[in-house]
Amino acid sequence: MFGSTTPKRLRDVIREIRSARTAADERAVVNRECATIRDTFKDEDNVYRCRNVAKLLYIHMLGFPAHFGQLECLKLIASPKFTDKRIGYLGANLLLDERQDIHLLVTNSLKNDLSHQTQYIVSLALSTLGNICSTEMSRDLAGEVEKLLKSSNSYVKKKAALCAVRIIKKVPDLMEMFIPACRPLLNEKNHGVLLTAVCLITEMCVLSSDTLTHFRKLVPQLVRLLKNLIMAGYSPEHDVSGVSDPFLQVKILRLLRILGKNDEDASENMNDILAQVATNTETAKNVGNSILYETVLTIMDIKSESGLRVLAVNILGRFLLNNDKNIRYVALNTLLKVVSADYNAVQRHRTTIVDCLKDPDVSIRRRAMELSFALINSNNVRGMMKELLCFLDKCDPEFKGDCCSNIVTAAEKYSPNRRWYIDTVMKVLTTAGNNVRDDVVSTYIQLIQQSGSLQTYTVQQLFKVLQEDISQQPLSQVAAWSIGEYGDLLVSGVCEEDEPLQVTEGEVLDLLGKLIASNISLLVTKQYALTAIVKLSTRFTQSLSRIEQLIKANGQSMFTDLQQRSIEYVSLFNTHAEMRSGVLEKMPIMEKQSTEPNGLTNGEASQDEIINAIVEPSTPPALKSQNETQNILDLLGGTSPGGVGQPAAPVSDGGGALLDLLGGMDLSSAGPSPLMAQSNAMDNLLLPAQPQPDLLGGVEVIGQTTNLTNGSPNAEIPGLTAFEKNGIKVLFTFDKKNGQPAVVTVNVQVINSMPMPVSDFVFQAAVPKSFQIQLLPPSGNSLPPNASGTITQVIQVNNPQKAPLRMRLRMTYTLNGSAVTEQGEVNTFPPNLWQ
């Protein structure tokens, strides 16, 4: 029997495992030892149980299963010997947690040991309870912990305070039990008790606003405590690099920050001590820097005096000069948070911040870039732009997109004059190359449109840049659009802003033809160039035949879109020649609107809109407000693979996340041929401007509200659960109106069964391109918890081909401050919806 032999010692097992040459050898050693330990446990060997559990814990730390030793740990805990209890409690900490019911068996042993006469056994029980306690254990043992907080033994009191932190985290209702015991703890001399008491009070203040108000009375006592730490002489027990107990100082400062937030009286009591800490703390070592950093956070979070805030910002400025890159990063990160509160104080360190743009560390450069943009104003815009353009030229490619967009936004907001603004954006386009985002392209086009007196200068500069390099696609797109729109100004030979450029019509057409023929040009760039050529037929007077030849040459392009454009443009010279001058007249000025919360931007023309120079028909006032809250996407036009409905959002040609809703859906059986599926935007060029027809076959939507009680669903069409996951449930009911058999009304009802509320809820839907979809505005965007309320919305679906309906769903919402995205697909619609 194994029980009659002496088991191996822990050091022997460790040596044997470490001597294994391969993973297989290690597993063999572990398995062999585990088998021996099991047999010993079965034999109820009490002599060597402690040794065997210790070996099992080491095996568990290596990642091997050791759950079969849980009961043996409980037996060791029940042993009267301290050495057994120590290993038993260590095993309980490692092998047990609140997810396993077996841990409840240790409750009685814990209760007995919490009343033990030996402080070390009491501390073992407190440490274990603080690590593995569940709600039930917290309620059962909170009384014993509260008694220990009043113990005269400092060693036990600090352990009890930390255990109380865990208990109130698990059961906040028990907080009131510990409040009376907290204040006396702050009168202790032992720093360990003070540290744990501050941690306990901090946790209570975070969990309860009422407790926060109660503990605000302790601010003078905490201030005295912090002052004593600063003024105390050298104490070898608490000294760290010449600073007296920095851990306790940091904890006190953090608690003061919580107590002083939004409270003028508490903040007033803190001002003097915070100034002393900020001026007297040594910065030569990281210990002092950590205290200063916590002091700065406290000063900026409470209602402190303006001079104190300036002092805090100056401390962060000194951090920027530190050789430690971690301290520089922390300083930049904190300045970025406080720049809006103390703008002028941060401005004084602008030079140092700009120097951080040259730092070798990528994280510091990113934070310095973000902070630099936050510091731009009308007084320093020229100098800051010069530095940021230099940074743009040398920065990593992943920075260029953000940097370009922010430079253009800042230039638009603070530009001293329109000429400077135009030159700055052009410098961005030439510097960043293909890293420029689409928003910069559309912004620059709008800027050129709005700069009437500078259009000649701009188009000439763009022409010269395009002659030198056609590889930069965003620049080529802007240049092609500008040449097409203002080609007559380019060849006029007159420019008030700069020396006139002598350009012939042939040179312009040669450059645009080169742009189309280039293998490095993107399809979008070719579209810009082809549309620019056809526009020049109304701007140039001597090159109509050459223009027509260039357009016809693209009738056999490998890109079907260019083929279609070429054929339609040729018709403007033949069949519809009388319409050409009206269709190709200069675009009206596009108005730039604000960015919507969902991230799409109103007023930014999509690429097809810019390329084709489509003038939208004027909208009657009665329809304008309705169109702003409804999104009707023509699924038979555009290059999108299907129809996407989204309430109160503009249609974007590059709809990215919305069009991804159709990923994975088989659309091969629906829709016209690939050629016909191309953008039909050019059809608008061949027709006079007319009001937009209703895509749903005359369905009246003006003034309609989202109310499911307005029309009851057809009784013969059953409803369905379209989506149910993570407490969010989406129900569909249906209604078909008489006289419109192809139109289905889907009544959507969203329910939140979670115990937490949901905010910013957005529902989106997509269907294959043989359908047409329209989402009416929802009843709201917040879902109360526990199914106590709903969001309702109406979807109109037009199914002219009577095909089986399929729908892809996408929901985004905010839960506990975190953004959540859910997706689903519905293909179980009742057949009588389309039959």
Side-chain angles (χ1 to χ4, degrees):
M1 288 179 59
F2 286 101
S4 60
T5 61
T6 303
K8 296 177 182 178
R9 294 178 301 176
L10 175 59
R11 68 180 67 180
D12 296 331
V13 173
I14 294 175
R15 185 181 298 112
E16 191 174 353
I17 291 175
R18 287 181 176 178
S19 63
R21 294 179 178 276
T22 64
D25 292 342
E26 181 181 289
R27 285 194 300 270
V29 173
V30 170
N31 291 336
R32 187 165 57 250
E33 189 61 34
C34 285
T36 303
I37 293 173
R38 281 194 186 94
D39 291 338
T40 307
F41 288 163
K42 290 177 183 178
D43 294 340
E44 294 293 331
D45 184 355
N46 296 326
V47 178
Y48 295 107
R49 178 180 287 123
C50 182
R51 178 183 294 184
N52 288 325
V53 171
K55 291 188 292 184
L56 194 61
L57 294 181
Y58 177 73
I59 291 173
H60 169 75
M61 292 167 62
L62 294 177
F64 295 94
H67 57 278
F68 59 88
Q70 292 172 346
L71 286 176
E72 302 303 316
C73 293
L74 300 184
K75 293 176 183 178
L76 287 175
I77 291 173
S79 170
K81 297 170 60 177
F82 174 75
T83 53
D84 288 351
K85 284 183 178 293
R86 182 175 57 181
I87 295 298
Y89 277 123
L90 177 59
N93 283 322
L94 293 176
L95 302 181
L96 301 180
D97 57 43
E98 60 180 293
R99 293 173 295 181
Q100 300 168 353
D101 293 336
I102 193 173
H103 87 287
L104 295 174
L105 300 177
V106 80
T107 303
N108 190 54
S109 296
L110 284 170
K111 188 168 186 178
N112 293 333
D113 287 341
L114 288 174
S115 304
H116 203 279
Q117 298 300 316
T118 305
Q119 64 175 359
Y120 300 110
I121 292 179
V122 175
S123 69
L124 284 175
L126 286 170
S127 298
T128 303
L129 180 60
N131 281 324
I132 69 171
C133 75
S134 62
T135 302
E136 295 81 3
M137 291 177 67
S138 299
R139 295 186 185 278
D140 293 339
L141 301 175
E144 280 70 14
V145 175
E146 189 267 340
K147 291 177 184 177
L148 293 173
L149 278 175
K150 301 175 183 178
S151 168
S152 59
N153 190 319
S154 299
Y155 182 76
V156 172
K157 272 197 287 195
K158 67 181 181 182
K159 297 279 187 179
L162 289 179
C163 187
V165 171
R166 168 70 180 231
I167 289 175
I168 64 174
K169 280 184 177 180
K170 300 299 295 184
V171 188
D173 295 342
L174 298 174
M175 192 184 304
E176 294 182 3
M177 178 186 298
F178 298 102
I179 291 177
C182 288
R183 187 159 191 166
L185 293 178
L186 294 178
N187 297 321
E188 289 284 331
K189 301 295 183 183
N190 185 282
H191 283 213
V193 177
L194 290 172
L195 184 65
T196 54
V198 171
C199 291
L200 178 58
I201 296 172
T202 301
E203 190 63 34
M204 289 181 177
C205 294
V206 170
L207 292 175
S208 170
S209 57
D210 293 335
T211 308
L212 174 62
T213 304
H214 172 78
F215 280 122
R216 281 202 170 109
K217 296 180 291 186
L218 296 180
V219 169
Q221 188 174 355
L222 291 169
V223 168
R224 286 196 301 271
L225 187 59
L226 185 57
K227 187 174 183 179
N228 291 336
L229 284 173
I230 298 173
M231 300 302 178
Y234 174 74
S235 172
E237 185 180 358
H238 307 116
D239 184 84
V240 179
S241 299
V243 178
S244 177
D245 203 343
F247 303 101
L248 182 56
Q249 289 193 45
V250 166
K251 291 293 183 181
I252 293 175
L253 287 167
R254 188 169 299 171
L255 178 56
L256 289 175
R257 180 164 84 247
I258 296 172
L259 295 175
K261 189 171 185 178
N262 299 323
D263 188 278
E264 293 186 2
D265 293 336
S267 301
E268 179 69 26
N269 291 330
M270 300 176 196
N271 282 331
D272 290 341
I273 189 64
L274 291 176
Q276 289 184 38
V277 175
T279 53
N280 295 336
T281 303
E282 179 62 42
T283 61
K285 300 289 180 65
N286 261 353
V287 175
N289 290 329
S290 64
I291 295 175
L292 286 176
Y293 175 65
E294 203 65 41
T295 304
V296 168
L297 294 181
T298 303
I299 291 172
M300 304 309 296
D301 232 19
I302 68 174
K303 293 183 175 296
S304 56
E305 299 172 349
S306 59
L308 202 56
R309 289 178 172 269
V310 172
L311 176 61
V313 174
N314 290 340
I315 291 174
L316 295 175
R318 293 204 306 271
F319 280 1
L320 291 177
L321 301 174
N322 199 293
N323 293 327
D324 190 331
K325 61 184 178 182
N326 294 315
I327 295 178
R328 294 201 301 275
Y329 178 82
V330 165
L332 288 169
N333 215 23
T334 309
L335 286 170
L336 194 57
K337 296 176 182 177
V338 306
V339 64
S340 57
D342 290 272
Y343 184 80
N344 292 330
V346 180
Q347 275 284 0
R348 298 190 185 100
H349 304 279
R350 187 176 70 243
T351 304
T352 310
I353 294 168
V354 170
D355 287 341
C356 290
L357 291 172
K358 305 169 186 176
D359 196 278
D361 187 274
V362 63
S363 302
I364 292 177
R365 292 201 302 273
R366 179 174 290 279
R367 284 290 177 264
M369 179 186 73
E370 295 170 353
L371 185 55
S372 296
F373 284 117
L375 293 177
I376 296 176
N377 57 34
S378 55
N379 296 324
N380 62 25
V381 63
R382 290 182 182 270
M384 289 295 290
M385 281 301 172
K386 183 178 179 181
E387 296 289 346
L388 288 168
L389 286 172
C390 292
F391 173 73
L392 177 63
D393 187 30
K394 300 176 182 178
C395 69
D396 299 332
E398 61 264 27
F399 288 172
K400 290 185 183 291
D402 289 335
C403 191
C404 291
S405 298
N406 288 326
I407 286 177
V408 172
T409 301
E412 179 183 13
K413 189 174 182 180
Y414 300 111
S415 60
N417 55 68
R418 188 58 61 92
R419 166 75 180 269
W420 180 89
Y421 183 15
I422 288 174
D423 290 340
T424 300
V425 181
M426 189 176 301
K427 181 66 174 176
V428 169
L429 289 171
T430 55
T431 302
N434 293 323
N435 295 292
V436 176
R437 292 176 179 167
D438 291 342
D439 62 321
V440 176
V441 174
S442 58
T443 298
Y444 199 31
I445 287 175
Q446 291 176 343
L447 172 62
I448 297 171
Q449 277 191 308
Q450 297 165 2
S451 307
S453 59
L454 295 171
Q455 287 170 350
T456 303
Y457 166 76
T458 306
V459 72
Q460 289 191 4
Q461 296 300 315
L462 287 170
F463 180 81
K464 288 194 292 187
V465 173
L466 190 61
Q467 278 185 316
E468 297 172 0
D469 185 9
I470 63 171
S471 63
Q472 299 182 10
Q473 300 303 302
L475 179 63
S476 299
Q477 293 165 15
V478 175
W481 184 90
S482 302
I483 292 170
E485 198 73 8
Y486 309 111
D488 52 337
L489 301 178
L490 176 61
V491 299
S492 64
V494 177
C495 181
E496 298 179 358
E497 295 290 328
D498 199 3
E499 182 180 350
L501 189 65
Q502 303 301 323
V503 182
T504 63
E505 295 180 0
E507 291 175 337
V508 175
L509 294 175
D510 288 341
L511 184 58
L512 293 175
K514 179 182 177 182
L515 198 59
I516 296 176
S518 174
N519 292 327
I520 61 175
S521 294
L522 298 176
L523 175 60
V524 175
T525 306
K526 295 175 185 287
Q527 293 169 346
Y528 273 97
L530 185 60
T531 305
I533 291 174
V534 74
K535 286 182 181 180
L536 291 177
S537 66
T538 61
R539 277 68 161 172
F540 290 172
T541 57
Q542 304 174 0
S543 308
L544 286 182
S545 59
R546 173 76 187 285
I547 291 173
E548 190 171 359
Q549 289 175 0
L550 288 173
I551 296 173
K552 286 181 178 179
N554 288 279
Q556 298 179 347
S557 172
M558 63 180 293
F559 300 105
T560 54
D561 182 271
L562 290 183
Q563 287 185 30
Q564 182 176 349
R565 291 176 187 275
S566 176
I567 293 170
E568 292 171 342
Y569 289 156
V570 167
S571 67
L572 290 175
F573 289 88
N574 302 326
T575 311
H576 304 283
E578 71 283 356
M579 298 173 55
R580 179 158 51 85
S581 60
V583 170
L584 300 177
E585 64 183 6
K586 292 184 178 180
M587 288 180 64
I589 296 177
M590 294 178 287
E591 295 182 2
K592 189 176 180 65
Q593 300 179 12
S594 61
T595 303
E596 294 293 325
N598 60 8
L600 298 177
T601 302
N602 291 334
E604 288 189 0
S606 66
Q607 291 172 341
D608 274 345
E609 290 172 336
I610 296 174
I611 293 169
N612 296 296
I614 300 174
V615 181
E616 293 292 340
S618 60
T619 306
L623 290 173
K624 183 173 293 186
S625 62
Q626 185 69 17
N627 289 340
E628 290 175 352
T629 58
Q630 296 179 354
N631 176 30
I632 305 175
L633 180 59
D634 185 354
L635 305 179
L636 302 179
T639 57
S640 64
V644 180
Q646 179 184 5
V651 177
S652 175
D653 182 60
L658 298 183
L659 297 183
D660 287 342
L661 289 171
L662 292 175
M665 293 185 69
D666 182 12
L667 305 177
S668 58
S669 61
S673 62
L675 181 59
M676 295 300 295
Q678 297 296 327
S679 174
N680 66 350
M682 288 309 305
D683 294 341
N684 297 330
L685 289 174
L686 310 180
L687 298 173
Q690 295 179 357
Q692 179 72 27
D694 188 351
L695 298 177
L696 299 181
V699 177
E700 181 67 38
V701 295
I702 298 176
Q704 186 173 358
T705 60
T706 307
N707 188 348
L708 298 181
T709 61
N710 288 346
S712 60
N714 289 2
E716 65 274 10
I717 305 180
L720 60 86
T721 300
F723 178 87
E724 186 170 9
K725 182 180 178 183
N726 297 334
I728 299 296
K729 187 175 184 179
V730 180
L731 303 176
F732 282 2
T733 56
F734 308 98
D735 185 19
K736 295 186 71 172
K737 295 187 178 182
N738 296 330
Q740 297 174 350
V743 177
V744 176
T745 300
V746 183
N747 301 312
V748 183
Q749 187 177 24
V750 187
I751 304 172
N752 170 29
S753 59
M754 292 183 288
M756 295 81 69
V758 168
S759 60
D760 302 327
F761 185 89
V762 177
F763 177 85
Q764 300 167 337
V767 293
K769 61 185 175 184
S770 60
F771 298 83
Q772 297 165 334
I773 188 171
Q774 175 184 2
L775 269 69
L776 301 186
S779 60
N781 65 352
S782 298
L783 284 168
N786 301 319
S788 57
T790 63
I791 292 177
T792 58
Q793 192 166 3
V794 174
I795 303 176
Q796 302 277 9
V797 180
N798 187 17
N799 186 4
Q801 299 184 10
K802 300 297 183 65
L805 178 58
R806 292 171 294 161
M807 186 178 294
R808 186 66 64 88
L809 309 179
R810 177 187 175 98
M811 287 143 284
T812 59
Y813 55 88
T814 301
L815 179 65
N816 290 333
S818 301
V820 181
T821 301
E822 301 282 4
Q823 295 190 16
E825 183 175 347
V826 186
N827 51 18
T828 58
F829 288 95
N832 47 353
L833 286 179
W834 59 82
Q835 291 177 352

